């Protein structure tokens, strides 16, 4: 019996991130789906199937933290790895304090992303 790879959904308004991250995730052995906005993700059939979310903090419309709150309200318990190009030294501790598995500043290395995914999936 084949086990389907875990689905990692990427929500980022940056097209280059939406194009490059899914390829990298597939190299890591995950299934991947990309969305240009929080609203697009929420309206998709993938919300209930997503095993981990890579989520940009600052996006037009609903922000990453607002999507996190909405998912909690809807009782979707999805581990989140936040990514940001606009963070400062307070961003990561704040996001971790709000329940994120990890928070990475762009640009981040493949290794940092893999470590963040391992943390999200509880792999040591």
């Amino acid at each position: 019996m084949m086990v389907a790879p875990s689905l990692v959904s990427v929500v980022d308004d940056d097209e280059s991130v939406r194009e490059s991250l899914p390829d990298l995730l597939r190299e890591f052995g995950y299934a991947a789906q990309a969305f240009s906005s929080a609203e697009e993700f929420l309206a998709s059939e993938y919300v209930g199937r997503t095993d981990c979310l890579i989520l940009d903090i600052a996006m037009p419309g609903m922000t990453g933290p607002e999507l996190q709150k909405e998912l909690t309200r809807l009782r979707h318990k999805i581990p989140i790895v936040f990514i940001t190009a606009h963070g400062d030294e307070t961003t990561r501790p704040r996001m971790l304090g709000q329940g994120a598995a990890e928070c990475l500043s762009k640009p981040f290395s493949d290794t940092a992303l893999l470590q963040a995914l391992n943390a999200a999936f509880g792999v040591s």
Side-chain angles (χ1 to χ4, degrees), residues 27-28 36 48 51 59 94:
E27 283 181 35
F28 289 160
S36 62
D51 299 302
M59 295 182 288
R94 191 172 70 246

Side-chain angles (χ1 to χ4, degrees), residues 5 9-10 28 34 40 45 54 70 81 83 92 95 97 102 105:
S9 291
V10 177
F28 289 160
E40 182 186 4
E45 63 192 69
I54 297 177
E70 181 64 8
V81 174
I83 57 177
R92 183 174 181 271
M95 293 298 104
E102 187 53 272
S105 291

Side-chain angles (χ1 to χ4, degrees), residues 12-97:
D12 198 312
D13 60 316
D14 182 336
E15 186 176 356
S16 65
V17 172
R18 288 194 314 274
E19 288 178 355
S20 61
L21 263 189
D23 291 339
L24 180 59
L25 291 166
R26 288 182 193 101
E27 283 181 35
F28 289 160
Y30 296 104
Q33 201 63 44
F35 302 90
S36 62
S37 69
E39 293 86 353
E40 182 186 4
F41 174 70
L42 281 173
S44 79
E45 63 192 69
Y46 293 97
V47 175
R49 301 194 331 226
T50 295
D51 299 302
C52 181
L53 197 53
I54 297 177
L55 182 56
D56 191 15
I57 290 175
M59 295 182 288
M62 184 182 282
T63 67
E66 288 169 346
L67 174 57
Q68 180 186 35
K69 286 187 181 99
E70 181 64 8
L71 290 169
T72 299
R73 190 186 71 75
L74 296 170
R75 294 196 168 90
H76 287 290
K77 190 95 176 94
I78 305 171
I80 296 174
V81 174
F82 278 111
I83 57 177
T84 185
H86 308 288
D88 59 29
E89 66 279 349
T90 67
T91 303
R92 183 174 181 271
R94 191 172 70 246
M95 293 298 104
L96 294 177

